[in-house]
Amino acid sequence: YLHKTTASDLARIALTASRHTLFMDICGTKEREVRTKDGRVFRLTNSNALLTDPAWLYEGVSGMKTGFTNAAQSCLVATAERDGRQLLAVLLHAPSNEARYSDAQALLDYGFSTLSASAAPTLALLSGDTDSAGPGPSLSSLAAVVVDRKTGDILYSRRADSPIYPADTAKLMTA
């Protein structure tokens, strides 16, 4: 409860982490069975509905991290790739799980449509106060940012530099 972070901070952390194949393999694993030294078996299931729930599946999603606390509400860091284009999206303080996944789909769709334009405008490298001007995706999350993973360019942001409770998406640092 005592710490806050920003969507931009989580995007920076996730951008760095996403460069590591093993990390991305773990984040993109839908289900895994693990066995303890004493022989007990546990089935771990990824809670990212963009990867696992038929109602929310999103083409090209490669993973990352969901989070929820009462203070932070629903949060998500997601990565996706289509036709060699790679995006990273961060959503903080969505009012529900449904809003989290709906916002993620809208944000990723916006990012891919922006990247597919011939002269894709970008705001800046991932630094500084960079709220997007003009129309963007309709989101219910309090803060959001979508970044080109290859360049670090911000394709859209809203309140991305506002300190907000991060839920357990901060576990990115220790995953």
Side-chain angles (χ1 to χ4, degrees):
Y1 263 142
L2 299 178
H3 76 282
K4 293 183 179 182
T5 192
T6 68
S8 290
D9 287 342
L10 289 175
R12 282 183 198 93
I13 293 166
L15 199 57
T16 299
S18 72
R19 293 184 179 118
H20 299 278
T21 305
L22 177 60
F23 180 81
M24 290 305 295
D25 288 347
I26 292 168
C27 290
T29 300
K30 295 176 184 179
E31 194 171 76
R32 178 101 188 237
E33 195 172 271
V34 295
R35 188 176 307 274
T36 63
K37 287 181 180 180
D38 64 1
R40 292 179 294 155
V41 177
F42 294 92
R43 179 162 298 286
L44 305 175
T45 303
N46 194 319
S47 63
N48 185 347
L50 297 175
L51 276 169
T52 61
D53 186 334
W56 292 108
L57 290 178
Y58 189 85
E59 179 190 347
V61 158
S62 50
M64 203 61 73
K65 182 73 176 96
T66 62
F68 177 86
T69 66
N70 288 332
Q73 297 300 296
S74 291
C75 300
L76 177 70
V77 177
T79 53
E81 182 173 348
R82 288 187 184 165
D83 302 320
R85 297 170 293 147
Q86 299 177 4
L87 296 179
L88 183 138
V90 178
L91 297 160
L92 297 180
H93 210 281
S96 66
N97 283 340
E98 292 79 14
R100 166 176 52 197
Y101 296 120
S102 176
D103 283 3
Q105 290 176 337
L107 192 58
L108 290 167
D109 283 346
Y110 181 86
F112 282 121
S113 70
T114 301
L115 270 181
S116 66
S118 57
T122 59
L123 293 173
L125 291 177
L126 194 54
S127 63
D129 192 13
T130 54
D131 275 2
S132 296
S138 176
L139 305 175
S140 58
S141 296
L142 187 59
V145 64
V146 64
V147 177
D148 179 336
R149 279 181 51 204
K150 290 183 179 179
T151 65
D153 288 344
I154 297 170
L155 305 173
Y156 175 83
S157 72
R158 182 175 72 201
R159 298 192 67 194
D161 293 308
S162 298
I164 297 173
Y165 292 111
D168 55 357
T169 51
K171 289 180 185 171
L172 277 171
M173 295 181 283
T174 58

